[in-house]
Amino acid sequence: SSEILLSMDTQTGVTINTNAFIADNLVVEGNLVVNGTVTKQAIAFDCYNSQNNKTLTVKTTVIYDVIRYNSGHFTLNSTTGIVTFNTPMIAQVTFRISTGSDGGETRGYTAYINGISGSKVFMYNRNPWNADQTGTATIIKQFQTGDVIEIICERTVGTYPIITVAEACGLTIVGL
């Protein structure tokens, strides 16, 4: 942990005389002069699914189970695929989902962030026997500690199982 020395001058504003690490927020009214290095920690999370997930139900949660990057502000339950915020923040959330079919008439899917209006994507394939398709959505929202991100996939047309394709579904969260 670094010591941060602040000095105030009515002409020049606040001066920081050290190498400082700013974890989340620094608010300065007036001028800011830095002698040294100021670093802001990246607040980000990125994960994907490592295996096909096949379900016979009409609706399923995408199971993300591999973390590529975690700044420590998030927790992934790799059994449920649900990500929890450990810190309040404004964040940009982007998900990508790729679905497939093992045959049969399954043409349409929708995917969305559970509980967040306006995050739906629709996927439709004219050829029901080759129903591979991908959808992506991005939202920006204020999140609180304990809020969760759960990506839901629903079959909208057809009767065959939902399959989320291995290593083709991703979730990225960036704190702004």
Side-chain angles (χ1 to χ4, degrees):
S1 130
S2 296
E3 183 178 81
I4 299 176
L5 303 173
L6 300 176
S7 61
M8 185 67 169
D9 181 306
T10 57
Q11 298 295 320
T12 61
V14 175
T15 302
I16 300 175
N17 295 305
T18 185
N19 288 341
F21 175 76
I22 300 170
D24 289 318
N25 296 311
L26 172 67
V27 178
V28 177
E29 292 184 19
N31 298 322
L32 173 65
V33 177
V34 177
N35 297 320
T37 304
V38 176
T39 309
K40 182 177 186 327
Q41 177 186 9
I43 299 174
F45 178 84
D46 188 69
C47 65
Y48 67 95
N49 66 325
S50 67
Q51 54 192 320
N52 287 344
N53 180 22
K54 181 178 178 178
T55 180
L56 299 175
T57 62
V58 173
K59 180 168 50 172
T60 189
T61 298
V62 179
I63 305 299
Y64 298 106
D65 60 345
V66 178
I67 297 173
R68 267 190 283 253
Y69 180 80
N70 187 353
S71 62
H73 297 86
F74 309 90
T75 303
L76 170 67
N77 182 325
S78 59
T79 304
T80 64
I82 295 174
V83 177
T84 303
F85 284 79
N86 299 333
T87 306
M89 69 182 74
I90 297 172
Q92 177 177 307
V93 178
T94 301
F95 75 87
R96 181 187 74 255
I97 180 169
S98 294
T99 57
S101 176
D102 60 356
E105 189 167 336
T106 299
R107 293 177 181 239
Y109 297 96
T110 184
Y112 54 91
I113 303 171
N114 195 16
I116 299 180
S117 299
S119 65
K120 267 190 185 181
V121 295
F122 292 90
M123 301 164 287
Y124 182 82
N125 195 315
R126 290 174 158 261
N127 180 354
W129 302 101
N130 181 15
D132 295 337
Q133 48 214 333
T134 300
T136 300
T138 300
I139 60 108
I140 295 175
K141 181 180 180 306
Q142 173 71 53
F143 293 92
Q144 302 303 320
T145 301
D147 285 352
V148 298
I149 297 292
E150 177 184 21
I151 307 301
I152 302 292
C153 180
E154 289 186 38
R155 182 180 61 235
T156 56
V157 178
T159 57
Y160 275 69
I162 297 171
I163 299 174
T164 53
V165 180
E167 298 186 356
C169 300
L171 175 65
T172 301
I173 304 170
V174 178
L176 303 176

